[in-house]
Amino acid sequence: GQQVMQIPQYQHVQEGEDFTTYCNSSTTLSNIQWYKQRPGGHPVFLIQLVKSGEVKKQKRLTFQFGEAKKNSSLHITATQTTDVGTYFCAGPRDSNYQLIWGAGTKLIIKP
Amino acid sequence: DAMVIQNPRYQVTQFGKPVTLSCSQTLNHNVMYWYQQKSSQAPKLLFHYYDKDFNNEADTPDNFQSRRPNTSFCFLDIRSPGLGDAAMYLCATSREYAAKEQYFGPGTRLTVT
């Protein structure tokens, strides 16, 4: 069946280092969404990418959608403690347009 | 502020004792979703409504039911909770189907004793 895979599962970084999470779909997606979930919180929508090769920036966050619309990445420059949480990608399922979620990447800042 | 509200935030129930979780929204969105999320996992869609049209995920157990009496409210009923149903239950809304972002409530943490 249709799958969205996300790696890595965890990433430990020192504050100030960069962070990247990668998302790969088994099928072409019409769009891809990114959500952030803080510890103990609920998912919060960050962005939606729609166009092939699209790149969008939000301050220190850079989102990319691959040319084939099957992969995506989120890159955070110079991480801060406020970036801690789990980042999920999600794309619509072909059959009923409901979101298929990646497993998430947990960003952990080393003390 | 427009938002998605879930009550209660924490719910403790006994094994086999029916429980109802509630969700309300002031966004006037057409679609409402119920997700189950266990620790360190992605949210798992249980079912969703487009207006009053109910859509069940194929792998959602029969133990889980839902009601949407009007646009603003949606309920999740767990008829006979088992220990494996302990999780965070998240309600979400969207204006339309997955082409648009989803807005999540704070969740209800269910404990089954």
Side-chain angles (χ1 to χ4, degrees):
Chain A
Q2 194 177 356
Q3 293 182 57
V4 171
M5 291 147 286
Q6 190 175 354
I7 58 168
Q9 188 176 1
Y10 301 94
Q11 191 166 359
H12 294 77
V13 300
Q14 298 277 6
E15 189 173 3
E17 291 182 339
D18 293 357
F19 162 86
T20 306
T21 173
Y22 300 92
C23 198
N24 195 45
S25 170
S26 58
T27 63
T28 301
L29 297 170
S30 59
N31 71 80
I32 193 157
Q33 300 175 25
W34 286 91
Y35 291 79
K36 176 184 178 180
Q37 186 171 22
R38 294 181 186 271
H42 57 277
V44 175
F45 174 80
L46 294 176
I47 207 162
Q48 178 180 265
L49 304 172
V50 178
K51 297 177 184 176
S52 169
E54 190 169 13
V55 178
K56 286 189 176 180
K57 292 191 175 185
Q58 291 178 351
K59 297 183 181 178
R60 294 177 294 104
L61 278 61
T62 301
F63 303 85
Q64 295 189 3
F65 200 13
E67 293 290 340
K69 300 180 74 173
K70 293 181 71 174
N71 54 69
S72 182
S73 64
L74 158 59
H75 180 83
I76 303 177
T77 303
T79 54
Q80 299 175 358
T81 55
T82 53
D83 297 324
V84 161
T86 301
Y87 293 85
F88 292 99
C89 62
R93 190 184 300 158
D94 291 339
S95 58
N96 66 0
Y97 308 108
Q98 298 316 305
L99 290 179
I100 303 175
W101 292 71
T105 296
K106 190 171 185 177
L107 170 58
I108 299 162
I109 305 279
K110 298 177 193 175
Chain B
D1 287 341
M3 56 175 48
V4 181
I5 302 161
Q6 289 189 245
N7 287 304
R9 296 291 309 277
Y10 301 91
Q11 176 75 56
V12 180
T13 191
Q14 293 178 335
F15 182 95
K17 185 174 181 182
V19 66
T20 295
L21 310 181
S22 69
C23 176
S24 64
Q25 55 129 342
T26 60
L27 296 158
N28 205 33
H29 282 172
N30 288 320
V31 193
M32 293 188 78
Y33 308 84
W34 278 106
Y35 286 91
Q36 179 193 65
Q37 187 177 32
K38 296 189 176 181
S39 182
S40 301
Q41 295 183 18
K44 178 182 181 303
L45 183 64
L46 296 173
F47 23 61
H48 72 276
Y49 282 89
Y50 187 100
D51 196 12
K52 290 196 172 183
D53 182 25
F54 175 75
N55 296 273
N56 202 31
E57 289 296 296
D59 58 354
T60 298
D62 292 341
N63 197 26
F64 292 86
Q65 304 285 319
S66 184
R67 297 169 282 135
R68 189 179 185 186
N70 54 52
T71 302
S72 301
F73 286 87
C74 198
F75 299 96
L76 170 62
D77 300 308
I78 309 177
R79 294 193 295 189
S80 182
L83 298 178
D85 297 326
M88 176 72 83
Y89 289 88
L90 294 161
C91 175
T93 73
S94 65
R95 193 180 313 123
E96 292 295 337
Y97 274 142
K100 297 294 180 185
E101 65 266 30
Q102 296 185 11
Y103 296 81
F104 283 81
T108 296
R109 170 76 62 189
L110 178 68
T111 301
V112 182
T113 60

